[in-house]
Amino acid sequence: MSQDLKITHTPQPKHKLTLPIALFSGLAFFTAQSAFANTHSSSLSHAGLEYSQNVLKPNAADKTELSQSDVAQLIQQNLETHLYTLPPRVQGHYGIRLYRLTGDEQYANAALVDLYTVTEAQAFYACQMDNPEFVRQASQNAIAELGNGPRAKARKKALAPFPEFLFYSDVLLRFASRIDELGFTGPCHSQMIQALKKADLRQGLTDPAMIKAWAAQLINYVYWAKQLGVGDYLEDYKTAFTRVYPDSQDATLSKALFRNKLYGMTHFIFAASEYYQHRVDATEFAWILDYFDANIERILQDATDDIIAEVGISFLLAGKTDHTVVAQTRAYIANSFDPDSQIIPSPKGNPDLALGEHRNVLAIMLLNWPETLYPGPYLNELNATKKYLPMGVTPKVID
């Protein structure tokens, strides 16, 4: 990060985030099935409105002038005031990211809520995967959870040749990678790892229809598999991705496919950073950063707020804090803020916090990027959480 650009952390709200111990007993009510459903109900939606080239949001003239720091602080205060009203996995998503931005242990309990949820889920799925009928039924359930919208239908069609792919990737890899990044192994870990090694995911990961249906999710699976040591699919996926989305064919891409391409590209960088735990090598990802720079006008016109924020954060993760794309995306995202709801609403104007947490935590990150990123949180090492861990996890040795 450039040393001549000084970014200070957003001032914390006067209230401290506290989590009554009694809440953890209530986590028993969250079943593994609801954990999986919650994962998908809060999955990232990038359907958006159309904007004219170089035109900022229409509410810009109607709101009191706010600095970018003001916007970040107001969003943060709103989310943290309501944090424990949000679904468990959304709490975890927010708390883990704020911990990695600040190193503040007050966010560790939100991660602990998530750990309880994913540990129960892994126990349910991994400990029954020696039963082929269970795997078949769980695979069908995972596909059914996608819903019935146009994007869901495209994904179901892409999954038809790979009926168990989603079970191994979006169920097992998702839960196990979260447990791992918080410093543990979960229930039936060895059994699950062996099954994941045998379940070669390469064909599903590199299938063109799959990439067109959900590019970002696939690169997440690639890095999660590498993280857990069950397969190295990175070069195969990168080759397949660039074959599906050659830059020379950009003019033929619909808005939806252009967004999917962008979303996949940002997640190459995000996953390589282990989701904001450390910076990435700008040279390694020059092919992505140069593309964003060259196409920033179309990005600002055709992408959603989520993707635009991710494009800016990609440069920050690469240490390019002074790049013009950072300034452009920051200005755009700050101008998306709705002072009435104290949030950046959905493209259709919905201010729902659970549905909009992803978009708004990205805004906080983009507008208030720190000089230092913090790995973890490793919950077995933090005073706030180490006495309250679920019984089903085993601490790892952290390097």
Side-chain angles (χ1 to χ4, degrees), residues 247-312:
D247 295 349
S248 60
Q249 299 298 312
D250 275 2
T252 69
L253 295 178
S254 66
K255 186 178 292 187
L257 286 175
F258 180 63
R259 290 172 176 175
N260 187 59
K261 177 179 179 176
L262 295 173
Y263 193 27
M265 295 175 88
T266 61
H267 277 65
F268 272 94
I269 293 177
F270 286 9
S273 76
E274 297 180 278
Y275 308 95
Y276 329 109
Q277 295 191 73
H278 56 78
R279 287 178 171 77
V280 301
D281 181 359
T283 302
E284 179 182 353
F285 295 103
W287 66 282
I288 295 175
L289 300 173
D290 290 346
Y291 178 86
F292 290 160
D293 187 20
N295 291 277
I296 188 59
E297 293 298 329
R298 184 178 178 186
I299 291 169
L300 293 176
Q301 175 178 319
D302 287 347
T304 62
D305 290 337
D306 299 68
I307 297 173
I308 290 169
E310 290 186 358
V311 167

Side-chain angles (χ1 to χ4, degrees), residues 126-139:
C127 298
Q128 299 188 74
M129 60 185 306
D130 56 349
N131 180 345
E133 177 58 24
F134 173 81
V135 173
R136 186 192 67 80
Q137 186 60 54
S139 299

Side-chain angles (χ1 to χ4, degrees), residues 134-333:
F134 173 81
V135 173
R136 186 192 67 80
Q137 186 60 54
S139 299
Q140 291 181 358
N141 293 344
I143 294 172
E145 289 286 348
L146 294 174
N148 295 303
R151 194 168 56 159
K153 290 179 180 178
R155 291 175 173 179
K156 287 179 179 180
K157 183 177 180 180
L159 282 165
F162 319 107
E164 295 184 357
F165 177 86
L166 209 60
F167 172 75
Y168 288 103
S169 58
D170 207 54
V171 176
L172 295 181
L173 282 179
R174 180 180 295 278
F175 296 139
S177 63
R178 176 54 54 84
I179 294 170
D180 177 83
E181 70 187 70
L182 296 178
F184 306 95
T185 58
C188 299
H189 177 76
S190 297
Q191 173 182 334
M192 179 194 64
I193 292 297
Q194 291 305 311
L196 284 168
K197 287 180 177 179
K198 292 178 182 178
D200 189 345
L201 302 177
R202 184 172 285 99
Q203 190 175 4
L205 289 169
T206 58
D207 180 78
M210 291 284 284
I211 293 171
K212 290 178 181 179
W214 42 15
Q217 286 85 344
L218 295 185
I219 190 60
N220 286 341
Y221 305 152
V222 166
Y223 273 91
W224 291 341
K226 189 174 182 179
Q227 173 187 338
L228 294 171
V230 298
D232 189 346
Y233 306 108
L234 181 55
E235 288 306 314
D236 289 335
Y237 181 72
K238 181 180 176 182
T239 299
F241 179 89
T242 54
R243 186 179 297 124
V244 170
Y245 285 123
D247 295 349
S248 60
Q249 299 298 312
D250 275 2
T252 69
L253 295 178
S254 66
K255 186 178 292 187
L257 286 175
F258 180 63
R259 290 172 176 175
N260 187 59
K261 177 179 179 176
L262 295 173
Y263 193 27
M265 295 175 88
T266 61
H267 277 65
F268 272 94
I269 293 177
F270 286 9
S273 76
E274 297 180 278
Y275 308 95
Y276 329 109
Q277 295 191 73
H278 56 78
R279 287 178 171 77
V280 301
D281 181 359
T283 302
E284 179 182 353
F285 295 103
W287 66 282
I288 295 175
L289 300 173
D290 290 346
Y291 178 86
F292 290 160
D293 187 20
N295 291 277
I296 188 59
E297 293 298 329
R298 184 178 178 186
I299 291 169
L300 293 176
Q301 175 178 319
D302 287 347
T304 62
D305 290 337
D306 299 68
I307 297 173
I308 290 169
E310 290 186 358
V311 167
I313 293 169
S314 296
F315 283 85
L316 296 173
L317 282 167
K320 294 182 174 291
T321 56
D322 294 329
H323 199 284
T324 56
V325 168
V326 174
Q328 288 172 286
T329 55
R330 280 175 167 165
Y332 189 98
I333 291 302

